[in-house]
Amino acid sequence: MKTLLTGGTVVSMDPAVGDLARGDVLIEDGVIVEVAERIHAPDTGTIDATDRIVMPGFVDNHRHTWQTAFRGIGADWTFPEWAVAMHGTVKPHYQPEDVYTGTLLGRLEALHSGVTTMLDWYHVAQTPEHEDAAVAALRDAPGRSIFCLGAGWGTPDPVDAAIRRVRSQLATDGPVTMAWGLRGPEATGMDTVAHELKLAAELGLRTSLHVDVTAGAVADLREHGLLRDTTTFVHGNALSDDELRMLADAGSSISISPDVELKMGFGWPMTGRALAAGLRPTLSIDDVPSAGGDMFSTMRTAFAVQRGLDGGLRSRDLLAFTTIDAATSCGLASRTGSITPGKDADIILLRTDDLTVFPVNDPAATVVSAGHPGLVDTVLVAGRVVKRDGALVDVDLTTLRARLLASRDRIAAAADIPLDGTWRPQPAAE
């Protein structure tokens, strides 16, 4: 099968390809085969990209999609309040069906807003059936997804069996692959971290680790020889500049969730400090009870904060953080993250005739400063059109919305919590 995207403004995020004020992209069997100002390709299906920005799909390398049903209720919460609410109060009432529905709607939301690749950081660990429900949801969503299994979350219990079981079900090159969400030394101890990193290497799994507000965590891991180029560190607001350089030296990556970090009290997002230390930052959503689920608002927050702090960053930096840099952090830079011949055609088309952005003079600056999900007209994943003319393809949203509301209402009733913004979870006194 061949598809020609024709007449769009191409923002490739590949220096070798560059940008084209008017360009075509030829796709064959799901792979980009040519990018040029004009491509003659007879007997090829075409997608008219006139009045569209053609760019790589966004990559979100850290999102807890199981929480989708409780969107917005944590907008005013601190991190301790969120932890009590979602892990201590809500999570115990989740059944596998609730995990499936929340994960599926969350992944579809991401696709709808142009996120073609998403790492689902799963930490609603309860039973194998819960894990299987999350995997099934990601498989049923037509995106490129990574199931990051945080098995045994919050406990020091051995999780080898759970990791091996799920790993046996997921290929290394399919639309849904696997990573390991480490619990970290505070929950398990350094010996367990060392064991889990060894097993991850044996199973060919990349890892992800939250380092929220703990100073010295990276230095301790380095002292024990546990920094890897296959690990993404999430948040890290309390990391020192020396620790950031340690991550850079190890080849590790870092994922920043600026909206959640600012609102929950983690501190300033360290985008600029990471760059100064030699790291390429990436951006992620984290959770929708507390923040919006699209990359446009995430980029804008990170951009405005860093410009306010030191005047640093340019708009194209933010596009790189959410495309090629994030793909690199997921080990997928050879497959996605830029419009490059030989890569899979994970591509989004953004409207330039919408009055909220018209006229588009600088495409990259417009996407970062004024972009929003309403601009996402078309989404392709590995060449397959999964959103067309502003609507997801072959998705029964009416039924899925009803299932999500039923899930939310059942859990809220079981947990005896209000949904009107009056709930203020009470963290335990220290």
Side-chain angles (χ1 to χ4, degrees), residues 80-98:
E81 290 171 333
W82 171 87
V84 167
M86 299 311 299
H87 284 288
T89 307
V90 169
K91 184 169 74 174
H93 299 285
Y94 263 71
Q95 300 299 319
E97 168 64 17
D98 303 311

Side-chain angles (χ1 to χ4, degrees), residues 11 22 81 90 129 262 270 389 411:
V11 179
R22 191 271 177 216
E81 290 171 333
V90 169
E129 289 74 25
L262 288 164
M270 27 68 72
D389 297 329
I411 294 169

Side-chain angles (χ1 to χ4, degrees), residues 314-377:
R314 296 294 181 266
S315 51
R316 191 168 289 266
D317 293 328
L318 280 299
L319 289 186
F321 299 163
T322 55
T323 55
I324 187 60
D325 292 333
T328 301
S329 77
C330 294
L332 293 172
S334 64
R335 297 186 62 184
T336 192
S338 65
I339 298 180
T340 301
K343 288 191 178 185
D344 289 354
D346 295 348
I347 296 173
I348 60 177
L349 276 60
L350 309 180
R351 298 184 65 96
T352 62
D353 55 359
D354 189 281
L355 290 182
T356 59
V357 294
F358 182 85
V360 173
N361 299 303
D362 180 334
T366 298
V367 171
V368 174
S369 65
H372 56 85
L375 303 179
V376 182
D377 178 81

Side-chain angles (χ1 to χ4, degrees), residues 158-160 180 190-200 226:
V159 296
D160 295 28
W180 188 340
M190 285 293 179
D191 289 344
T192 300
V193 174
H195 168 77
E196 292 183 348
L197 285 170
K198 182 178 179 181
L199 180 57
L226 298 177

Side-chain angles (χ1 to χ4, degrees), residues 235-255:
H235 303 312
N237 306 71
L239 298 181
S240 68
D241 292 345
D242 285 342
E243 287 181 297
L244 292 174
R245 283 189 285 270
M246 293 174 192
L247 294 183
D249 291 343
S252 304
S253 55
I254 192 151
S255 177

Side-chain angles (χ1 to χ4, degrees), residues 12 22 40-41 71-72 74 86 99 154 164 178 191 209 259 262 295 306 322 337 348 381 414 427:
S12 73
R22 191 271 177 216
H40 179 64
R71 183 186 308 280
M86 299 311 299
V99 173
R164 290 183 181 278
M178 183 180 173
D191 289 344
L209 171 63
D259 292 288
L262 288 164
M295 276 296 180
Q306 197 60 51
T322 55
I348 60 177
V381 178

